[in-house]
Amino acid sequence: MKKFLWILALGSLSLAAFAQQKAPKWMEKQKKAVVNITTYKSDGTTLHNGVGFFIAEDGKLLSAYSLFKGADKAIVTDTKGKTYPVSRVLAADELYDVIKLQVDVPKKVDCLEMATAPLGVNAPVYLLPFVDNGKVKSFGSGKVEEVTKLKEDYHYYKLSFPLQVGWTNAPVCDAEGKVFALAQEDASGKNACSYGVSAAYANSLAISSTDAFSSTYNAIGIRKAWPADREQAKIATYIIENTQDAKAFLETLNDFVATFPDWWESYSRRAAHYVFHRTELAADAAGQTGCLTKAENDLKQSVEVADDKSEALHSAAQLVYSVALSDTTLKANPNWNMERAQSLLTEALQANDLPAYHQLQANIYLAQDQFEQAYEEYMKVNRSDAASANSWYMAAKAKSATTGFNIGDVIQLLDSAVAYCGNPPSIEAAPYVLERIDWRLRLMQYPEAVADYDLYYRICNGKVDDNFYYFREQAKFRMDDLEGALQDIRQAMALAPDNAMYPAEEASIYIRQKKYPEALQSIDKALAIAPEFAACYRLRGVCLQRSGKPEEARIALEKAQELGDPAAAKLLQQ
């Protein structure tokens, strides 16, 4: 009995020693990096309280995503009771319940150093809880029991000790005091052990341009960080623009400019918003004029900060050109007309003679009806590495507007536009092919026009409407491919059975084939749809006359004349 009591006493002493073990020396200093977090709903009421810790002197902090989901505001309180606002969400992963934040701190803060290598099984570990203005008296200690792979080179740890109240999301450190994990509860509810998600993984997270649509980020009302890559950040502005009104988006652009103050494109982006949305940003004329002034200042600043001045000047010229082209209310404003666009572009060309600048020069000439000059500028682009299907197409448009142009030259330019769309041509070629068909029909090149209709059909993978079949039928009719024309008009009729024009056109083909009974049947179909269709009565008159029924033909032609058909009177005279 005495032996049993001795063993029990010895065990009690061991437990007491564990509870009162001495904290590692580094804990007293490192504790300053651990903070209390309070998140708030949009109405100002408290949402959650929890723990987080600084990982950088500038206020970067790691914590749990679940503390911030549904929050519109958050503050952190350090061990001395000082509070600081959370200014941005830098990155988050809802699945692993981690979040990286930026806290607005006035000076450098104490932070935890990140462990450079993952820990192995049996490695000693320490959990550092939040300590409210005092010494570290209670902390977690134990060892790593299990290591599993999280993602890539990051790990998830099973720890030998359970969590006490308030320990969730606290930093878990190695023997040297370097943080390697955020503490997480035993999901089974047994609380016999705890877990740690890699702090390095949480720190590696980065926001991307597409995260503007992510439910993970949309569930948090705190401002999100911009992607570190500024091109990605610019893409994000276009995504966000569709989710905010003009005034809210201006605030977003102000933040964009503040984040990238040395990048000329941030100012150019905001300038465009000031111009195109000035009526939404300001209710009166004075306010709208102010928006134009701010846009002008942003364009000047974009040139000022740009390493390549020509690039910023070209962008400014492009913006002014777009405004002058689409907004007639600013014609009298010398800062927003074609002349101003030309002036900016001239500066850009003097600094750097690039094909893209000549493309804009051509567009400006075209807008000013200077077609010869526009054509020459488009051809400069076409003779460069920047040539594209569009530049060849625009050259064709400019050429077709010049005095005494040759249609054959226009068709050749369109040939190049189509050729730049690949072989076989992509869907991009569709409008160029249709344009080429129009010019071929003017030259009565009906076989070539039909070949282009066939090409258009292939480009569109056969997804065409009744109009396509009607227009191809017209070309086939003119080249005397009457059977082909008949097939096409029947396709049009099948797609649009209520269009009286199509059976009337079918009748015209039958008349050309001298199949008058069939033509009369088609005419009856058309008149059943449109009883007052004057041309159908004329066609009926022609059929009856050629069928040896002059009296019935006369009645039909008189009806056509009565309904206003201009050709009926001449046929009656004959």
Side-chain angles (χ1 to χ4, degrees):
M1 181 66 178
K2 288 183 180 180
K3 183 178 180 181
F4 173 75
L5 290 174
W6 179 79
I7 294 173
L8 183 62
L10 182 63
S12 298
L13 287 172
S14 298
L15 289 172
F18 176 79
Q20 297 174 13
Q21 65 179 306
K22 188 176 180 181
K25 291 182 179 181
W26 49 261
M27 269 199 184
E28 278 303 311
K29 180 182 178 182
Q30 304 289 57
K31 72 178 183 182
K32 298 176 183 178
V34 186
V35 296
N36 184 67
I37 299 172
T38 306
T39 57
Y40 299 89
K41 300 177 184 177
S42 58
D43 61 4
T45 58
T46 300
L47 180 64
H48 294 297
N49 279 294
V51 175
F53 54 92
F54 289 116
I55 57 169
E57 292 179 334
D58 64 357
K60 287 186 180 64
L61 179 138
L62 297 184
S63 187
Y65 173 84
S66 55
L67 289 179
F68 289 82
K69 187 174 183 178
D72 266 42
K73 177 185 174 184
I75 62 169
V76 302
T77 305
D78 65 15
T79 57
K80 294 181 180 180
K82 293 181 180 179
T83 60
Y84 310 102
V86 174
S87 58
R88 290 182 188 275
V89 174
L90 299 178
D93 186 329
E94 184 175 12
L95 178 62
Y96 292 106
D97 196 25
V98 290
I99 192 167
K100 182 165 63 171
L101 306 146
Q102 182 65 52
V103 179
D104 190 5
V105 293
K107 57 183 180 179
K108 292 181 180 179
V109 294
D110 291 286
C111 60
L112 297 179
E113 185 180 347
M114 199 76 63
T116 57
L119 272 66
V121 174
N122 292 323
V125 295
Y126 299 88
L127 181 146
L128 180 56
F130 174 70
V131 179
D132 188 5
N133 200 21
K135 287 186 173 291
V136 179
K137 296 178 181 179
S138 176
F139 59 92
S141 67
K143 62 181 180 179
V144 175
E145 290 190 338
E146 187 178 315
V147 180
T148 56
K149 189 168 184 178
L150 183 70
K151 280 185 178 182
E152 299 169 351
D153 296 328
Y154 306 109
H155 300 81
Y156 197 73
Y157 302 90
K158 181 180 179 181
L159 309 175
S160 62
F161 56 88
L163 298 185
Q164 294 184 17
V165 175
W167 285 11
T168 305
N169 308 315
V172 185
C173 303
D174 61 16
E176 297 177 352
K178 295 180 180 180
V179 63
F180 72 93
L182 290 84
Q184 294 185 336
E185 295 176 339
D186 183 354
S188 69
K190 296 178 180 178
N191 203 31
C193 61
S194 58
Y195 293 85
V197 60
S198 170
Y201 170 68
N203 188 38
S204 74
L205 296 173
I207 204 163
S208 70
S209 59
T210 56
D211 286 328
F213 287 143
S214 167
S215 60
T216 296
Y217 290 94
N218 288 337
I220 302 174
I222 300 169
R223 188 182 290 278
K224 316 307 181 295
W226 293 100
D229 181 271
R230 60 191 192 183
E231 289 293 342
Q232 284 285 309
K234 186 174 73 170
I235 293 171
T237 66
Y238 291 102
I239 298 172
I240 296 170
E241 186 173 16
N242 295 322
T243 67
Q244 296 180 331
D245 62 30
K247 291 182 179 179
F249 186 58
L250 177 58
E251 292 302 314
T252 296
L253 288 178
N254 289 339
D255 186 56
F256 179 57
V257 171
T259 305
F260 302 102
D262 299 324
W263 190 32
W264 69 267
E265 288 206 44
S266 64
Y267 297 98
S268 177
R269 182 79 178 90
R270 186 170 65 181
H273 186 69
Y274 273 129
V275 177
F276 288 119
H277 296 276
R278 63 187 184 279
T279 58
E280 301 160 67
L281 296 172
D284 56 21
Q288 291 166 21
T289 300
C291 286
L292 292 174
T293 301
K294 290 176 181 177
E296 292 159 20
N297 291 337
D298 269 350
L299 290 183
K300 289 177 184 176
Q301 187 65 17
S302 73
V303 176
E304 182 68 26
V305 302
D307 293 329
D308 183 349
K309 305 297 183 187
S310 72
E311 195 174 20
L313 285 164
H314 169 253
S315 178
Q318 180 69 59
L319 175 58
V320 175
Y321 160 77
S322 299
V323 172
L325 193 67
S326 62
D327 193 337
T328 57
T329 65
L330 294 177
K331 280 187 176 181
N333 190 317
N335 291 316
W336 300 99
N337 57 24
M338 286 295 173
E339 289 72 21
R340 176 59 176 159
Q342 178 64 72
S343 174
L344 291 165
L345 184 60
T346 298
E347 285 189 70
L349 280 165
Q350 288 172 349
N352 206 350
D353 193 336
L354 294 177
Y357 301 176
H358 287 285
Q359 176 89 32
L360 179 56
Q361 179 69 83
N363 292 343
I364 292 173
Y365 280 140
L366 197 65
Q368 295 175 316
D369 294 339
Q370 298 180 38
F371 303 116
E372 287 281 2
Q373 295 91 326
Y375 171 72
E376 292 300 329
E377 291 294 321
Y378 284 127
M379 290 308 294
K380 287 179 182 179
V381 178
N382 291 335
R383 287 190 286 268
S384 75
D385 292 339
S388 65
N390 179 259
S391 64
W392 281 104
Y393 174 70
M394 293 307 297
K397 297 294 285 185
K399 187 69 173 178
S400 67
T402 59
T403 303
F405 75 94
N406 185 294
I407 293 180
D409 293 339
V410 176
I411 291 176
Q412 286 183 355
L413 292 166
L414 290 170
D415 289 344
S416 295
V418 173
Y420 264 79
C421 294
N423 185 23
S426 66
I427 191 65
E428 181 190 1
Y432 311 145
V433 173
L434 288 179
E435 185 92 7
R436 188 167 67 183
I437 289 170
D438 183 57
W439 290 110
R440 291 197 192 284
L441 291 174
R442 296 189 193 193
L443 290 178
M444 295 185 288
Q445 296 178 348
Y446 301 121
E448 292 84 353
V450 169
D452 266 353
Y453 274 123
D454 293 343
L455 175 60
Y456 180 84
Y457 182 90
R458 293 194 297 274
I459 289 172
C460 297
N461 293 318
K463 296 178 181 178
V464 295
D465 59 12
D466 55 295
N467 287 305
F468 168 83
Y469 288 107
Y470 170 70
F471 288 119
R472 189 170 69 174
E473 175 270 331
Q474 292 279 289
K476 289 180 177 179
F477 185 86
R478 285 167 174 75
M479 63 179 283
D480 285 328
D481 179 10
L482 299 182
E483 284 302 320
L486 201 58
Q487 291 175 10
D488 275 349
I489 204 62
R490 286 172 179 167
Q491 287 279 10
M493 290 166 63
L495 292 171
D498 295 330
N499 191 327
M501 175 67 73
Y502 298 154
E505 190 65 28
E506 184 184 43
S508 295
I509 299 170
Y510 281 134
I511 290 172
R512 177 74 72 86
Q513 291 179 320
K514 298 181 181 180
K515 296 179 179 179
Y516 303 121
E518 291 88 341
L520 287 169
Q521 289 178 1
S522 297
I523 290 166
D524 288 340
K525 291 178 188 176
L527 290 173
I529 299 168
E532 302 296 302
F533 196 165
C536 280
Y537 288 100
R538 171 168 44 83
L539 291 174
R540 174 177 279 175
V542 171
C543 284
L544 292 170
Q545 176 67 25
R546 294 181 182 180
S547 299
K549 300 177 181 179
E551 184 59 27
E552 293 180 46
R554 183 183 61 77
I555 294 171
L557 291 171
E558 286 176 347
K559 179 67 174 177
Q561 185 180 37
E562 177 188 330
L563 292 172
D565 186 86
K570 185 176 181 180
L571 290 172
L572 279 168
Q573 290 175 1
Q574 294 174 352

